[in-house]
Amino acid sequence: MKKLILTLIVVLMAVAAMAQRREGTFTVQPKVGLNVSTLTDADKTIADACFGMEAEYMITDMFSLSAGVMVSNQGGKYNEDFPSPKYTADLDYANIPIMANVYVLPGLALKAGVQPGFRMKAKMKTDNGSYDIDEFYALYSAVSPGEEPKVYKFDLAIPVGISYEYNNVVLDARYNWGLLKVENLGPAYYNRVFEVTLGYKFDLDL
């Protein structure tokens, strides 16, 4: 029995050593996933896709820095009372997560960082169709001089999360806490996004 336990320990240690990436390793990781997002003044969340690429450099065996680009569909649902219709705010961002990753166990990393985001699209979806918010606000400004509502084109978030890697396959879960107002009209509200992705790491020689 003792020999069996000792053998299992040796095998587990060997597997752990193989799973741990070495200092100086550089990887790129295409990834796809799902966002569950809302805006802080919205009534419900929405779920939609995200995808992108991330590069990671191991500074030590336990600490790395990573940066990437993620195309992320975000927004929230509004259940307004009559006469206002129910609608969904549909916002697309190109996010740039810059993360510090601490490997607390082989393959298991805790991460936090900063994430600039650049809005690409802003639409309002109702039962009667889809409307470009930028065009709607431009029309609003034309008929209401002195008022210039707009959805900001820059966002900034604090992402925190955890990931697990096995045989180069990476499951990653993050929460992105928006810091900047989404638009300048009415009370301030912010992006809140829970993001789960699945990726595959490719090792590159520097």
Side-chain angles (χ1 to χ4, degrees), residues 127-140:
D127 293 337
N128 297 321
S130 180
Y131 307 92
D132 186 282
I133 296 178
D134 291 325
E135 293 178 0
F136 177 79
Y137 280 170
L139 179 62
Y140 181 91

Side-chain angles (χ1 to χ4, degrees), residues 102-146:
V102 179
Y103 286 83
V104 293
L105 290 172
L108 182 66
L110 302 179
K111 50 189 62 190
V114 62
Q115 178 175 275
F118 300 89
R119 180 180 64 80
M120 300 183 295
K121 179 187 76 175
K123 288 190 174 182
M124 180 189 300
K125 294 182 177 180
T126 71
D127 293 337
N128 297 321
S130 180
Y131 307 92
D132 186 282
I133 296 178
D134 291 325
E135 293 178 0
F136 177 79
Y137 280 170
L139 179 62
Y140 181 91
S141 298
V143 299
S144 302

Side-chain angles (χ1 to χ4, degrees), residues 67-185:
V69 177
M70 292 294 296
V71 177
S72 176
N73 184 269
Q74 302 170 195
K77 288 185 177 181
Y78 293 81
N79 295 328
E80 301 286 349
D81 295 329
F82 184 83
S84 299
K86 296 180 180 180
Y87 68 94
T88 298
D90 181 22
L91 309 173
D92 280 1
Y93 286 88
N95 292 323
I96 304 175
I98 302 167
M99 310 291 289
N101 311 288
V102 179
Y103 286 83
V104 293
L105 290 172
L108 182 66
L110 302 179
K111 50 189 62 190
V114 62
Q115 178 175 275
F118 300 89
R119 180 180 64 80
M120 300 183 295
K121 179 187 76 175
K123 288 190 174 182
M124 180 189 300
K125 294 182 177 180
T126 71
D127 293 337
N128 297 321
S130 180
Y131 307 92
D132 186 282
I133 296 178
D134 291 325
E135 293 178 0
F136 177 79
Y137 280 170
L139 179 62
Y140 181 91
S141 298
V143 299
S144 302
E147 295 188 51
E148 296 184 1
K150 62 181 177 180
V151 178
Y152 293 115
K153 293 190 175 181
F154 180 75
D155 189 40
L156 185 66
I158 297 296
V160 293
I162 187 170
S163 68
Y164 182 71
E165 175 187 350
Y166 181 75
N167 284 346
N168 287 30
V169 177
V170 183
L171 180 64
D172 189 302
R174 302 180 187 180
Y175 187 78
N176 301 322
W177 185 276
L179 300 177
L180 300 182
K181 294 190 295 183
V182 173
E183 69 172 20
N184 67 339
L185 187 66

Side-chain angles (χ1 to χ4, degrees), residues 54-68:
E54 192 169 70
E56 181 179 8
Y57 181 74
M58 297 296 300
I59 296 176
T60 72
D61 290 347
M62 297 181 62
F63 179 76
S64 73
L65 293 176
S66 62

